[in-house]
Amino acid sequence: MAREIKCIGVMTSGGDAPGMNAAIRAVARACAYYNVRCIGFYRGFQGMIEGDYIDLDARSVRNIISRGGTILKSARSKEFRTKEGREKAANHIKEIGVDAMILIGGDGTFKGGKVFYEEFGIPVIGVPGTIDNDIAGTNFTIGYDTALNTVIDAIDKIRDTASSHDRLFFVEVMGRDAGFIALNSGVGAGAEEILIPEEDLGLDRLLESLRRSKRSGKSSSIVVVSEGDKIGKNVYELADYVTENLPDYDVRVTVLGHMQRGGSPTCFDRTLASRLCVNAVELLLDGHKNIMVGLINNNVAYTSFEEGLKEGHGINKELLRISDILST
Amino acid sequence: MAREIKCIGVMTSGGDAPGMNAAIRAVARACAYYNVRCIGFYRGFQGMIEGDYIDLDARSVRNIISRGGTILKSARSKEFRTKEGREKAANHIKEIGVDAMILIGGDGTFKGGKVFYEEFGIPVIGVPGTIDNDIAGTNFTIGYDTALNTVIDAIDKIRDTASSHDRLFFVEVMGRDAGFIALNSGVGAGAEEILIPEEDLGLDRLLESLRRSKRSGKSSSIVVVSEGDKIGKNVYELADYVTENLPDYDVRVTVLGHMQRGGSPTCFDRTLASRLCVNAVELLLDGHKNIMVGLINNNVAYTSFEEGLKEGHGINKELLRISDILST
Amino acid sequence: MAREIKCIGVMTSGGDAPGMNAAIRAVARACAYYNVRCIGFYRGFQGMIEGDYIDLDARSVRNIISRGGTILKSARSKEFRTKEGREKAANHIKEIGVDAMILIGGDGTFKGGKVFYEEFGIPVIGVPGTIDNDIAGTNFTIGYDTALNTVIDAIDKIRDTASSHDRLFFVEVMGRDAGFIALNSGVGAGAEEILIPEEDLGLDRLLESLRRSKRSGKSSSIVVVSEGDKIGKNVYELADYVTENLPDYDVRVTVLGHMQRGGSPTCFDRTLASRLCVNAVELLLDGHKNIMVGLINNNVAYTSFEEGLKEGHGINKELLRISDILST
Amino acid sequence: MAREIKCIGVMTSGGDAPGMNAAIRAVARACAYYNVRCIGFYRGFQGMIEGDYIDLDARSVRNIISRGGTILKSARSKEFRTKEGREKAANHIKEIGVDAMILIGGDGTFKGGKVFYEEFGIPVIGVPGTIDNDIAGTNFTIGYDTALNTVIDAIDKIRDTASSHDRLFFVEVMGRDAGFIALNSGVGAGAEEILIPEEDLGLDRLLESLRRSKRSGKSSSIVVVSEGDKIGKNVYELADYVTENLPDYDVRVTVLGHMQRGGSPTCFDRTLASRLCVNAVELLLDGHKNIMVGLINNNVAYTSFEEGLKEGHGINKELLRISDILST
């Protein structure tokens, strides 16, 4: 039988994502609603290890729903990968009186949570917060939609100058292991080509595609490249290669970088964070644990950590096809 | 057996929505990809009646993916509601050599398309483009996500001044028959109350909720009101009623109005428009007709006009519950 | 000889404006730099009367430069208009040990500051913070540039739908006594007509201008109307009048309202606030008082309250001429 | 005596800047207003050489005021640096019947215009359009204000993630020869340090400043670096140097790149472009030539190309002082 939950802890971990504050707010407000104490730990697992925390009541999360970043800060903790580190965390949590934890982060965070639950029996629920969208147990992670819009805003600006000067731009976006951001922002920005880790387009096909673009009357082009693209060259090498082989093109490179992690979250990310976190609190109160919550077919659903981490839901290959047709 | 499709017409109709240009672009590019001629009719059914059109090739839709509004313009046509009007339209379409039509718009547009198909046998496919999100055959309509973000950007600004002056704002958003915009933007903006056509909160509960807000230490509040709210007072009357009954509150009203229809579409709306319209072209080429395309559980799916128009997919009542909990 | 200044108070008063937080930050940081204590009073003069304040050190204004609104809140204080109210304020200030005050606000704030200095000899410097730009002693007030950009963003969106539907929009912007916002945003948004308090265009000329627009091939139009426009009709009456007299036009109205007061400040407003407030602190430390600081010909300059309040710097009539030519 | 002007040509040249379209619109509309024909040349001097142009009437510039880039495209022309190239341009211009030219661009454009006038006697007026703000004859160039806001929006996002992870970011902005963008955006973004070509801060002082930041309790920092910074290391080398010397800091780099050239122009840039270009047309009609127009102390003024090009107006060193004080 589930121990009664009187105090819930919350933290944000891994790469930060827009909407993490909306998530923290939802945890704190749902706790207040159900008369449960809410404790926020700073810098993810590290704050649990160090006992670095703050009490969160309904008013202390006022007006943060619209803010990027995370008021609880985030970090990757090496110490938590050791048994000693996790033991310190468990001890602090018990001392403070925290009965269960909500972990907001990506797959690394969930793996940590799973081990932590297995070792110490502290109920844990994971909420997917990462711009990378690479978590199997949800169709969308918190922060992903905002990152997409940050990327297309930047590419729209780059398109302005690309068109004015008849240039070809390579734009590198985040996504070391997954091409979600590149693929969706590429379609949204109307990119001529999209290079992602999941598909090896090959250099020859890229050159051919760019030649065809030129022939079809396009004077400027955008190629969106995922960090972890399979083509085996980084974005600057790619640009050099194309310059050598297609001297007609005036080539430039932009690496969008960390601005993709910030900014005021979109309505989608705020609403997603709100729904998932209210449900996470309620699931803990109902005795659930060792699961992640996610949005599946527009409904909140939960999955065991095992399932949720199994393998990422694949990218939508249909979008590659759409992109091909639309770059006609 | 389906007649071979060599020329596809496209138009935008009803209230315009961000992403309509992305939709037009996708139709034109998909047609070019499949070597089908593409004709754009101006001002919806009215342009079909008047034979007012333009040839759209792959280059003529260059750089419009990021633009609000519709390059084909939109209108509501009274003449098309008459048999004579529709006959004129059918004749023009045959003269020009258009074999099938893609209609981008809301339920009024689809009803017109259904009748038109039944009377003249011209294959028709509907694409849901409206900020109202009130179409049964799709989880999301094109333009809805952008409108939500326009609304929360505006409310974030209003929240700044509401907080500075400890004020209560009533913010009216679009949605005469459906509360989708109000409900989702209200959760996204962290509104204290949300008034929608689907639920009669009642004046007493509104007053009680605002009193409770005050007691809980909130110094400012936002109430999001749908145009078609059931409470039976317009937003100014509501504000007056609250001012009379809660003299502690310094009340203001903002009616967001038509800016909700404009602006550069979000990544979601651009990608949605691209996917739906490429599929619409392919469905026509495959002999389908008298259907609408939509996004159902993240996949493109089609529905007969009969089904698609049956009744709007209801609002997500869970969000009302979430909103209640989060306004604690 | 000037008493040594060891503690400076700061407050924000009147209608709030984007950039007020950047101004508060600059006061607090400049005080920290010069080893002067800094006290922030809440809700303008009212917080001085009630002794409602907070200590501001360099870290307590962290990350507020980008935020709309004012962390010190703002208000209009009736009590401060009485001798008794001002006496309470003076007593609190002395008790707390505040040696001088920086008042961020508009002309009402400066008038209050002037009287306060004259009655109690407490050194006071005014910093112009208001979206209305109607202060003689500066070319630009803090918040004005942000409000202009908020307005043109909204009108760009309205233009999208106006163009799609061939409509005429009346857009009301803030400015009860001065047409700065209407005039500059009207030129920036490419409005067809601009109605401001300083000029009575007259209804006949408005109708004539709209007829000419139609004849010249314009299918949609935007008329920007200042709240305090001289034409003697409010924006809804104007719209009705035009609808009656120009039945060809499909007329709509949007009142932008309080969103004009909020939002993250532009670079111009942040830099302006930073420059003015560092100088305000330095001027107090140098023994100045009973003055306002402003930006005159791109340099920081100061003016006596008498001069600064004399009369507003007039609107730039050249812009009316520019607007006329560009709406050709 | 001035030849009567019946046809004015306009082009955009050099690096493109937001507001160039607003400038083109203003030239075309002012020409229409004064019944003068208006010709737009594509790709700057290159279009003049090739006779590549378009007629611009009042309607052909509809709705471009809000768009980034330039509908006339821009380029740097090597051929125009030769006598032969300029002769071709002069011949084309005479053949087409263009009586005078308006050149929108930076100092390279103005130098070309000066030589062209001297060689062929064709009246020429320059309008400063460049994001770099490095033109002596104006306080502000068209595009500069928009670029500043693009930069601070990006840095605000970077600040979100920098704060969440307690990181130090080096952000490189445009400005090879002048630090205007770095200096103003650095103050606007609340950067801890600003490195510009005009001042050699020195590596030691940079390290010292970052150490002091850390001691004062700042957990994250932003250093804005101008492309042409004097410190003699590029931004990646700088980051490596700091990482080696201050191992406490977790350092990251973002190079903002070409997105700074795009985007919808701010109200300031649209109004500036409108004012300068209407005046440019009127000055040509009044017989002026061989000058540039600019904004000096908020008024439109003109300067001979000689004066306008003499030396850039220096950066505002007061801002360096302000930045120092505010990064306390």
Side-chain angles (χ1 to χ4, degrees):
Chain A
M1 205 207 80
R3 190 176 32 160
E4 202 195 344
I5 306 282
K6 291 180 184 160
C7 174
I8 291 177
V10 59
M11 55 76 125
T12 50
S13 173
D16 62 326
M20 281 185 161
N21 278 328
I24 295 164
R25 169 183 178 267
V27 172
R29 290 270 168 97
C31 284
Y33 183 85
Y34 289 112
N35 288 312
V36 169
R37 190 180 166 206
C38 182
I39 298 286
F41 288 93
Y42 286 108
R43 288 165 300 121
F45 292 123
Q46 199 56 34
M48 291 161 63
I49 292 171
E50 299 174 13
D52 186 11
Y53 68 93
I54 185 177
D55 260 275
L56 294 174
D57 66 11
R59 291 291 73 71
S60 57
V61 292
R62 185 201 307 254
N63 286 359
I64 67 168
I65 194 173
S66 61
R67 288 199 203 136
T70 155
I71 61 166
L72 293 179
K73 301 193 176 232
S74 186
R76 290 185 173 82
S77 169
K78 281 184 194 166
E79 205 177 343
F80 196 79
R81 296 200 195 146
T82 67
K83 186 73 193 278
E84 292 70 29
R86 293 192 293 273
E87 207 148 27
K88 279 193 210 167
N91 291 338
H92 269 122
I93 277 179
K94 287 170 192 164
E95 274 171 42
I96 301 164
V98 171
D99 300 312
M101 285 294 306
I102 292 178
L103 312 179
I104 304 165
D107 56 358
T109 308
F110 291 1
K111 279 174 199 156
K114 182 173 176 298
V115 172
F116 192 64
Y117 169 73
E118 289 166 354
E119 289 178 347
F120 304 100
I122 296 170
V124 163
I125 290 191
V127 175
T130 160
I131 62 169
D132 292 333
N133 204 36
D134 56 347
I135 306 275
T138 190
N139 298 143
F140 301 102
T141 56
I142 299 164
Y144 172 58
D145 185 63
T146 305
L148 290 180
N149 283 293
T150 298
V151 170
I152 66 163
D153 280 356
I155 300 185
D156 284 353
K157 289 188 173 71
I158 291 170
R159 175 79 74 182
D160 283 341
T161 184
S163 298
S164 298
H165 285 277
D166 292 343
R167 281 176 175 155
L168 164 62
F169 272 85
F170 285 88
V171 181
E172 187 190 280
V173 302
M174 285 190 161
R176 226 171 286 262
D177 305 308
F180 287 99
I181 294 179
L183 186 51
N184 279 270
S185 70
V187 172
E192 274 67 28
E193 281 296 340
I194 302 170
L195 308 182
I196 55 173
E198 289 86 351
E199 285 268 321
D200 188 354
L201 179 71
L203 282 168
D204 289 345
R205 235 205 76 191
L206 175 64
L207 291 183
E208 189 38 52
S209 159
L210 291 171
R211 277 194 203 98
R212 202 176 47 230
S213 261
K214 200 77 167 184
R215 278 197 304 271
S216 79
K218 290 199 179 187
S219 54
S220 64
S221 289
I222 304 285
V223 179
V224 174
V225 185
S226 200
E227 274 178 316
D229 159 58
K230 271 283 161 50
I231 223 162
K233 291 179 181 289
N234 78 28
V235 69
Y236 292 103
E237 293 167 347
L238 258 180
D240 287 346
Y241 182 84
V242 168
T243 300
E244 270 169 47
N245 286 276
L246 301 174
D248 270 9
Y249 270 110
D250 185 12
V251 183
R252 293 288 186 282
V253 170
T254 292
V255 176
L256 288 184
H258 281 77
M259 57 179 286
Q260 293 166 83
R261 294 208 175 283
S264 182
T266 57
C267 191
F268 186 92
D269 278 332
R270 298 184 194 185
T271 306
L272 177 62
S274 300
R275 291 175 72 184
L276 296 186
C277 286
V278 168
N279 277 279
V281 168
E282 292 173 338
L283 284 165
L284 280 176
L285 297 182
D286 286 350
H288 293 272
K289 54 201 163 198
N290 201 24
I291 53 171
M292 64 164 287
V293 290
L295 195 76
I296 297 181
N297 295 339
N298 306 319
N299 290 310
V300 178
Y302 56 89
T303 321
S304 69
F305 277 135
E306 285 75 9
E307 285 299 310
L309 287 166
K310 225 174 213 172
E311 99 259 46
H313 55 113
I315 56 151
N316 186 338
K317 295 233 169 158
E318 191 214 357
L319 279 180
L320 279 177
R321 201 176 66 82
I322 298 288
S323 168
D324 251 25
I325 292 172
L326 294 183
S327 59
T328 301
Chain B
M1 206 206 80
R3 192 174 33 160
E4 201 193 344
I5 307 282
K6 291 180 182 160
C7 174
I8 291 177
V10 59
M11 55 75 124
T12 50
S13 172
D16 63 325
M20 280 185 162
N21 278 328
I24 295 165
R25 169 184 178 267
V27 172
R29 290 269 168 97
C31 284
Y33 183 86
Y34 290 112
N35 288 310
V36 170
R37 189 178 168 209
C38 183
I39 299 286
F41 288 94
Y42 286 107
R43 288 166 300 120
F45 292 122
Q46 198 57 33
M48 291 161 64
I49 292 172
E50 299 174 12
D52 186 11
Y53 69 93
I54 185 177
D55 259 274
L56 294 173
D57 66 12
R59 291 290 74 70
S60 57
V61 293
R62 186 202 306 256
N63 287 358
I64 67 169
I65 194 173
S66 61
R67 287 198 203 137
T70 156
I71 59 165
L72 293 179
K73 299 192 177 234
S74 187
R76 290 185 173 83
S77 169
K78 281 185 191 165
E79 204 177 343
F80 196 79
R81 295 200 195 147
T82 67
K83 186 73 192 279
E84 292 71 28
R86 292 192 294 274
E87 208 148 26
K88 279 192 210 168
N91 290 340
H92 269 123
I93 277 179
K94 287 170 193 165
E95 273 170 42
I96 301 164
V98 171
D99 300 311
M101 286 294 306
I102 292 179
L103 312 179
I104 304 165
D107 55 357
T109 308
F110 291 0
K111 280 174 198 155
K114 183 172 176 297
V115 172
F116 191 63
Y117 168 73
E118 290 166 354
E119 289 177 347
F120 304 100
I122 296 170
V124 163
I125 290 192
V127 176
T130 160
I131 63 169
D132 292 333
N133 204 37
D134 56 347
I135 307 276
T138 189
N139 298 145
F140 301 102
T141 56
I142 299 165
Y144 171 59
D145 185 63
T146 306
L148 289 180
N149 283 293
T150 298
V151 170
I152 68 163
D153 281 357
I155 300 185
D156 284 354
K157 289 189 174 71
I158 292 170
R159 175 80 75 183
D160 283 341
T161 185
S163 298
S164 298
H165 284 277
D166 292 345
R167 281 177 175 155
L168 164 62
F169 272 85
F170 286 88
V171 181
E172 188 191 278
V173 301
M174 284 190 161
R176 226 171 286 262
D177 305 308
F180 287 99
I181 294 179
L183 185 52
N184 279 270
S185 70
V187 171
E192 274 67 29
E193 281 296 340
I194 302 170
L195 309 182
I196 56 174
E198 289 85 352
E199 285 268 321
D200 187 355
L201 179 71
L203 283 168
D204 289 346
R205 235 205 76 191
L206 175 64
L207 292 183
E208 188 39 52
S209 159
L210 292 172
R211 277 193 202 100
R212 201 177 48 230
S213 262
K214 200 78 168 184
R215 280 196 303 270
S216 79
K218 289 199 178 187
S219 54
S220 65
S221 290
I222 304 285
V223 179
V224 174
V225 185
S226 200
E227 274 178 316
D229 159 58
K230 271 283 162 51
I231 223 161
K233 291 180 181 289
N234 78 28
V235 69
Y236 292 103
E237 292 167 347
L238 259 179
D240 287 346
Y241 182 85
V242 169
T243 300
E244 271 168 47
N245 287 276
L246 302 174
D248 270 8
Y249 270 109
D250 186 12
V251 183
R252 292 289 185 283
V253 170
T254 292
V255 176
L256 289 184
H258 281 77
M259 58 180 286
Q260 292 166 83
R261 293 208 176 282
S264 181
T266 58
C267 191
F268 187 92
D269 278 332
R270 298 184 195 185
T271 306
L272 177 62
S274 300
R275 291 175 71 184
L276 296 186
C277 286
V278 168
N279 277 279
V281 168
E282 293 173 337
L283 285 164
L284 280 176
L285 297 181
D286 287 349
H288 292 272
K289 55 202 163 196
N290 201 23
I291 54 171
M292 64 165 287
V293 290
L295 195 77
I296 297 182
N297 295 340
N298 306 317
N299 290 309
V300 177
Y302 56 88
T303 320
S304 69
F305 276 136
E306 283 76 8
E307 285 299 310
L309 287 166
K310 224 173 212 171
E311 101 258 47
H313 55 114
I315 56 152
N316 186 338
K317 296 234 168 156
E318 190 214 357
L319 279 180
L320 279 176
R321 200 177 67 80
I322 298 288
S323 168
D324 251 26
I325 292 172
L326 294 183
S327 60
T328 302
Chain C
M1 210 205 78
R3 194 174 32 162
E4 205 195 341
I5 307 282
K6 291 179 183 161
C7 174
I8 290 176
V10 60
M11 54 76 124
T12 50
S13 173
D16 63 326
M20 280 185 161
N21 277 328
I24 295 165
R25 170 183 178 266
V27 171
R29 291 270 168 96
C31 284
Y33 183 86
Y34 290 112
N35 289 311
V36 170
R37 189 180 166 205
C38 182
I39 299 286
F41 288 94
Y42 286 108
R43 289 168 296 121
F45 291 122
Q46 198 58 31
M48 291 162 63
I49 291 171
E50 299 174 13
D52 186 12
Y53 69 92
I54 185 177
D55 259 273
L56 295 173
D57 67 11
R59 292 289 74 71
S60 56
V61 292
R62 186 201 307 253
N63 286 358
I64 65 169
I65 194 172
S66 60
R67 286 197 206 138
T70 156
I71 59 167
L72 293 178
K73 301 195 175 230
S74 187
R76 290 187 173 81
S77 169
K78 280 185 192 164
E79 203 177 344
F80 196 78
R81 295 199 195 146
T82 66
K83 187 70 192 280
E84 292 69 29
R86 292 191 295 273
E87 207 147 26
K88 280 193 209 166
N91 290 339
H92 269 122
I93 278 179
K94 286 171 193 166
E95 273 170 43
I96 301 163
V98 171
D99 300 311
M101 286 293 306
I102 291 177
L103 312 179
I104 304 165
D107 56 357
T109 309
F110 291 0
K111 279 174 198 155
K114 183 173 176 297
V115 171
F116 191 64
Y117 168 73
E118 288 166 355
E119 288 178 347
F120 303 100
I122 296 170
V124 164
I125 289 190
V127 175
T130 162
I131 63 168
D132 293 332
N133 205 36
D134 57 347
I135 307 277
T138 190
N139 298 143
F140 301 103
T141 56
I142 298 165
Y144 171 58
D145 186 62
T146 306
L148 289 180
N149 282 293
T150 298
V151 170
I152 67 164
D153 281 357
I155 299 184
D156 284 353
K157 290 188 173 72
I158 291 170
R159 175 80 73 181
D160 283 342
T161 185
S163 297
S164 297
H165 284 276
D166 293 344
R167 280 175 176 157
L168 164 63
F169 272 85
F170 286 87
V171 181
E172 187 190 280
V173 300
M174 283 191 161
R176 226 171 285 263
D177 305 308
F180 286 99
I181 293 178
L183 186 52
N184 278 269
S185 70
V187 172
E192 274 65 30
E193 281 296 340
I194 302 169
L195 308 182
I196 55 174
E198 290 85 350
E199 286 268 320
D200 187 353
L201 179 72
L203 283 168
D204 289 344
R205 235 205 75 191
L206 175 63
L207 292 183
E208 189 38 50
S209 158
L210 292 171
R211 277 193 202 101
R212 203 176 47 229
S213 263
K214 201 78 166 184
R215 278 196 305 270
S216 79
K218 291 199 178 187
S219 55
S220 65
S221 290
I222 304 285
V223 179
V224 174
V225 185
S226 199
E227 275 177 315
D229 159 58
K230 272 283 161 51
I231 224 162
K233 291 181 182 286
N234 77 27
V235 68
Y236 292 102
E237 293 166 348
L238 258 180
D240 288 346
Y241 182 84
V242 169
T243 300
E244 271 169 48
N245 286 275
L246 301 175
D248 271 7
Y249 270 109
D250 186 11
V251 183
R252 293 290 186 281
V253 170
T254 292
V255 176
L256 289 184
H258 281 77
M259 58 179 286
Q260 294 167 82
R261 294 208 175 283
S264 181
T266 58
C267 191
F268 187 91
D269 278 333
R270 298 184 194 185
T271 307
L272 176 63
S274 300
R275 291 174 73 184
L276 295 186
C277 286
V278 168
N279 277 279
V281 169
E282 293 174 337
L283 284 165
L284 280 176
L285 297 181
D286 286 350
H288 293 271
K289 55 202 161 194
N290 201 27
I291 54 171
M292 63 164 287
V293 289
L295 195 75
I296 297 181
N297 296 339
N298 306 318
N299 290 307
V300 178
Y302 56 88
T303 321
S304 69
F305 276 135
E306 284 77 9
E307 285 299 311
L309 288 167
K310 225 175 213 171
E311 101 259 50
H313 54 113
I315 56 151
N316 186 340
K317 296 232 168 158
E318 190 215 355
L319 279 179
L320 279 176
R321 201 176 65 82
I322 298 289
S323 167
D324 252 26
I325 292 172
L326 294 183
S327 58
T328 299
Chain D
M1 209 206 80
R3 194 174 31 162
E4 205 194 340
I5 307 281
K6 291 178 182 161
C7 174
I8 291 176
V10 60
M11 54 77 121
T12 50
S13 172
D16 64 324
M20 280 185 162
N21 278 328
I24 294 165
R25 170 184 179 267
V27 171
R29 291 270 169 96
C31 284
Y33 184 85
Y34 290 112
N35 289 310
V36 170
R37 188 179 167 207
C38 182
I39 299 286
F41 288 94
Y42 285 108
R43 289 167 298 121
F45 292 123
Q46 198 57 33
M48 291 161 63
I49 290 172
E50 300 174 12
D52 185 12
Y53 68 91
I54 185 178
D55 260 273
L56 296 173
D57 67 11
R59 292 289 74 72
S60 57
V61 293
R62 188 202 304 253
N63 286 359
I64 67 169
I65 194 172
S66 61
R67 286 196 205 139
T70 155
I71 59 166
L72 293 178
K73 302 199 173 226
S74 186
R76 289 185 174 82
S77 169
K78 281 185 192 163
E79 205 177 343
F80 197 78
R81 294 197 195 147
T82 66
K83 186 71 192 279
E84 291 70 29
R86 293 192 294 273
E87 208 147 25
K88 280 193 211 167
N91 289 339
H92 269 122
I93 278 180
K94 286 171 194 166
E95 272 170 44
I96 301 164
V98 171
D99 300 311
M101 286 293 306
I102 291 178
L103 312 178
I104 304 165
D107 56 357
T109 309
F110 291 0
K111 279 175 199 155
K114 183 174 176 298
V115 172
F116 191 62
Y117 168 73
E118 289 166 355
E119 288 178 347
F120 304 99
I122 296 170
V124 163
I125 289 190
V127 175
T130 162
I131 63 169
D132 293 333
N133 205 36
D134 57 346
I135 306 276
T138 190
N139 297 145
F140 301 102
T141 56
I142 298 164
Y144 172 58
D145 186 63
T146 306
L148 289 179
N149 283 294
T150 298
V151 170
I152 68 164
D153 281 357
I155 300 184
D156 284 353
K157 290 188 172 73
I158 292 170
R159 175 80 74 181
D160 283 342
T161 185
S163 297
S164 298
H165 285 277
D166 293 344
R167 280 176 176 157
L168 164 62
F169 272 85
F170 285 88
V171 181
E172 188 190 279
V173 300
M174 285 191 162
R176 227 171 283 264
D177 304 309
F180 287 99
I181 293 179
L183 186 52
N184 279 270
S185 70
V187 172
E192 274 66 29
E193 280 296 340
I194 302 169
L195 308 183
I196 55 173
E198 290 84 351
E199 285 269 321
D200 187 354
L201 179 71
L203 283 167
D204 289 346
R205 235 205 77 189
L206 175 64
L207 292 183
E208 189 38 51
S209 158
L210 292 170
R211 277 193 201 99
R212 202 177 48 228
S213 262
K214 201 79 166 183
R215 279 196 304 270
S216 79
K218 290 198 178 187
S219 55
S220 65
S221 288
I222 304 285
V223 179
V224 174
V225 185
S226 200
E227 275 178 315
D229 159 58
K230 272 284 162 50
I231 224 162
K233 291 179 182 288
N234 77 28
V235 69
Y236 292 102
E237 293 167 347
L238 258 180
D240 287 346
Y241 183 85
V242 168
T243 301
E244 270 169 47
N245 286 276
L246 301 175
D248 272 8
Y249 270 109
D250 187 11
V251 183
R252 293 290 186 281
V253 170
T254 292
V255 176
L256 289 184
H258 281 78
M259 58 179 286
Q260 294 167 81
R261 294 208 175 282
S264 180
T266 58
C267 192
F268 187 91
D269 277 333
R270 298 184 194 186
T271 306
L272 177 62
S274 300
R275 290 175 72 184
L276 294 186
C277 286
V278 168
N279 277 278
V281 169
E282 293 173 336
L283 285 164
L284 280 175
L285 297 181
D286 287 349
H288 292 272
K289 56 202 162 195
N290 201 26
I291 53 170
M292 64 164 287
V293 289
L295 195 75
I296 297 180
N297 295 339
N298 306 318
N299 290 308
V300 178
Y302 56 89
T303 322
S304 69
F305 276 136
E306 285 77 8
E307 285 299 311
L309 288 167
K310 225 175 212 172
E311 100 259 48
H313 54 112
I315 56 152
N316 186 339
K317 295 233 168 157
E318 191 214 356
L319 279 180
L320 279 177
R321 201 175 67 81
I322 298 288
S323 167
D324 251 27
I325 292 172
L326 294 183
S327 59
T328 299

